[in-house]
Amino acid sequence: MNLVMTGYLLYNSFKNNGGFMPYCEAIIGRCRRIMANIRLKKIILEVVENQLRENDPPVTRQAYQKLLDAGYSAREAKEKIGAVVLTEIYDVQKENQPYDEKRYRLALEEMVQQSIDFEDTHEILTEWDEWDELVQRGYEVQNAQDDVLLENWWRAWKVFQGIIRQEKEKCSVSGLMEEQDYQYPIDAWLQDFEMELGNLGEHEKRLEFCRSVLDMLDWTFDDGSNFRSAIGEELYAAGKAEEGETWFRNWLKREPHNENAWSVFSWCVQKQEGEEAAYRLIRKEVIDVPCTIYNSLLFERAKLLAQHLELKKDLKWIESQLKSFSDSMEEAAYYNDLYDDFRMPVQKPIVKEKKVYPNDPCPCGSGRKYKKCCGKK
């Protein structure tokens, strides 16, 4: 009854938005590769989780365990079961057939066997999968075909905007990633896209992109400083120094000690007015102030400026604080992991390893598929 009731709930939910039946007709006929929107996928996965929790019917938990034993992740296993659930709902609603637990059990068994035999014909694809495909295409051609990279990433950006518009309320990047079980590199891609636009000289588009990212997402608990600093940088680059300074000053009123804001602000001022003006801007943030994980970037920046300006007294203080900070990181045993974060930001192409999917050949060269080899570990 759980499955049948879910079918009626789904039908009522979608009949006012174009109809559930036409939607099913469009998706069942494509080798059972079921395309669903995000809202439907959420509901289907909730059905699967309810069946697993209540062990009703028991065949669902049996199929789930077999998929886990075969090397699939919990999320992958639930999505494969969800594809079978959606097919069963279609049969109940469209074909006016009663819910048949035997038919459902056989469908699950067939799906599990196909999955074990590497014939992955059961999955619920959403806009996120389309987005991920475009993002990965961009990474694959990075540093070789910049025009192709941007073409794929702009298409991914349109898909991403469509996903955000479906949300009932403003969401955060971390919230989106948690919602998708951290399956997709949303935060890294947004920052990489912003950086690539700057690297490739797409200044107006970079400015527009960063404004859109800040406007459409909730940054209450996430760090949007990369996008804010990029906006200020592009205002200066466009010859709007006064507007750029106002942008940084207003930002620093809200976050008085944001190291990213001070660092990029000082770079912009240095290009306009020289090193002395840049150093005056950040001096109060480092002199007689201890160096910590929250301001070490500014200390590195101030060190270079003090060296060039031959400010020996200040330089002595800055270097002593950087050494103390370095020693504390070594003692904490994670200095090496964090080192890259302490360097001054430099616009460089981002190199990202190619994503290995479950059915790809294992990179170790065993000849087996990744999910049955290293991916299983």
Side-chain angles (χ1 to χ4, degrees):
M1 289 300 294
N2 185 30
L3 192 62
V4 177
M5 290 303 296
T6 302
Y8 284 112
L9 290 173
L10 282 169
Y11 175 75
N12 291 330
S13 176
F14 281 88
K15 68 181 181 180
N16 295 324
N17 294 304
F20 182 63
M21 291 309 118
Y23 185 81
C24 286
E25 289 170 352
I27 60 181
I28 294 298
R30 298 179 60 183
C31 300
R32 299 178 71 187
R33 291 181 62 85
I34 300 173
M35 297 295 295
N37 63 32
I38 292 175
R39 181 183 171 201
L40 177 57
K41 183 173 181 177
K42 288 180 181 177
I43 297 174
I44 291 296
L45 291 179
E46 287 177 5
V47 173
V48 175
E49 288 171 357
N50 287 338
Q51 290 184 359
L52 291 173
R53 182 173 57 252
E54 299 172 9
N55 196 27
D56 180 21
V59 291
T60 300
R61 181 174 292 178
Q62 295 167 10
Y64 178 70
Q65 188 59 52
K66 288 180 181 178
L67 289 171
L68 294 181
D69 293 340
Y72 288 95
S73 69
R75 184 177 184 84
E76 290 171 334
K78 290 176 184 177
E79 289 188 1
K80 288 179 177 297
I81 295 171
V84 179
V85 169
L86 186 54
T87 303
E88 178 64 21
I89 291 173
Y90 170 81
D91 291 338
V92 171
Q93 292 291 319
K94 179 64 169 63
E95 304 298 338
N96 293 318
Q97 299 178 7
Y99 168 58
D100 187 339
E101 186 167 340
K102 180 180 179 181
R103 180 179 62 210
Y104 180 54
R105 174 177 57 79
L106 292 174
L108 282 175
E109 291 175 352
E110 179 185 5
M111 177 273 293
V112 169
Q113 191 59 52
Q114 287 179 344
S115 298
I116 293 175
D117 293 339
F118 308 111
E119 298 177 12
D120 286 325
T121 58
H122 294 75
E123 55 186 321
I124 302 177
L125 301 180
T126 69
E127 291 94 329
W128 278 119
D129 299 285
E130 180 184 359
W131 170 88
D132 188 50
E133 179 66 25
L134 292 167
V135 168
Q136 297 306 325
R137 285 182 198 170
Y139 278 121
E140 288 171 3
V141 300
Q142 200 167 32
N143 305 327
Q145 296 173 279
D146 292 334
D147 56 335
V148 178
L149 179 148
L150 287 183
E151 178 185 351
N152 280 293
W153 281 10
W154 279 123
R155 289 171 60 193
W157 173 240
K158 289 183 179 179
V159 175
F160 183 80
Q161 288 177 304
I163 293 172
I164 299 303
R165 282 194 290 269
Q166 293 184 47
E167 296 291 331
K168 294 181 180 179
E169 56 187 31
K170 220 171 196 181
C171 53
S172 64
V173 174
S174 57
L176 286 171
M177 294 182 67
E178 182 179 4
E179 187 178 284
Q180 297 303 314
D181 199 23
Y182 301 96
Q183 184 177 358
Y184 304 110
I186 303 169
D187 57 345
W189 172 72
L190 287 172
Q191 294 188 21
D192 287 351
F193 198 180
E194 171 267 307
M195 290 286 286
E196 283 298 326
L197 290 172
N199 291 335
L200 299 175
E202 298 283 355
H203 301 302
E204 292 184 5
K205 291 182 178 179
R206 184 190 186 204
L207 183 62
E208 180 182 354
F209 174 78
C210 290
R211 289 190 186 277
S212 297
V213 169
L214 292 174
D215 288 342
M216 71 193 304
L217 296 168
D218 177 11
W219 296 96
T220 304
F221 301 106
D222 290 344
D223 183 12
S225 59
N226 281 2
F227 305 103
R228 293 189 180 96
S229 59
I231 290 175
E233 184 179 7
E234 292 302 339
L235 289 173
Y236 269 94
K240 302 176 181 178
E242 185 176 345
E243 188 176 345
E245 180 178 356
T246 300
W247 172 264
F248 281 114
R249 295 290 185 189
N250 288 337
W251 178 7
L252 288 166
K253 286 179 181 178
R254 300 189 302 271
E255 301 177 62
H257 304 293
N258 186 294
E259 66 171 357
N260 205 331
W262 282 113
S263 179
V264 179
F265 189 11
S266 69
W267 277 105
C268 295
V269 169
Q270 181 174 336
K271 291 179 182 179
Q272 291 286 123
E273 306 175 35
E275 291 181 337
E276 289 187 10
Y279 184 71
R280 286 197 303 269
L281 190 67
I282 62 173
R283 185 182 185 277
K284 66 178 182 178
E285 293 295 314
V286 296
I287 299 302
D288 297 328
V289 175
C291 180
T292 68
I293 193 172
Y294 300 108
N295 62 6
S296 57
L297 178 66
L298 286 180
F299 272 84
E300 293 281 6
R301 174 99 176 92
K303 176 183 175 181
L304 288 179
L305 289 171
Q307 287 175 336
H308 291 168
L309 297 171
E310 297 182 353
L311 302 173
K312 296 181 180 180
K313 184 179 179 181
D314 284 6
L315 183 59
K316 183 178 179 180
W317 167 263
I318 293 168
E319 288 179 335
S320 68
Q321 286 300 305
L322 281 170
K323 185 178 185 308
S324 297
F325 175 65
S326 175
D327 291 343
S328 68
M329 291 295 99
E330 289 179 342
E331 291 172 3
Y334 57 84
Y335 174 82
N336 289 334
D337 293 335
L338 298 175
Y339 177 74
D340 287 343
D341 293 335
F342 302 149
R343 294 176 301 175
M344 288 180 294
V346 179
Q347 295 284 0
K348 292 183 179 179
I350 302 95
V351 178
K352 185 178 177 113
E353 294 182 0
K354 182 179 179 181
K355 183 175 180 179
V356 181
Y357 291 89
N359 288 316
D360 289 346
C362 190
C364 75
S366 66
R368 304 174 69 191
K369 295 205 172 185
Y370 177 68
K371 67 186 178 186
K372 294 293 288 183
C373 190
C374 295
K376 193 171 183 179
K377 302 174 185 178

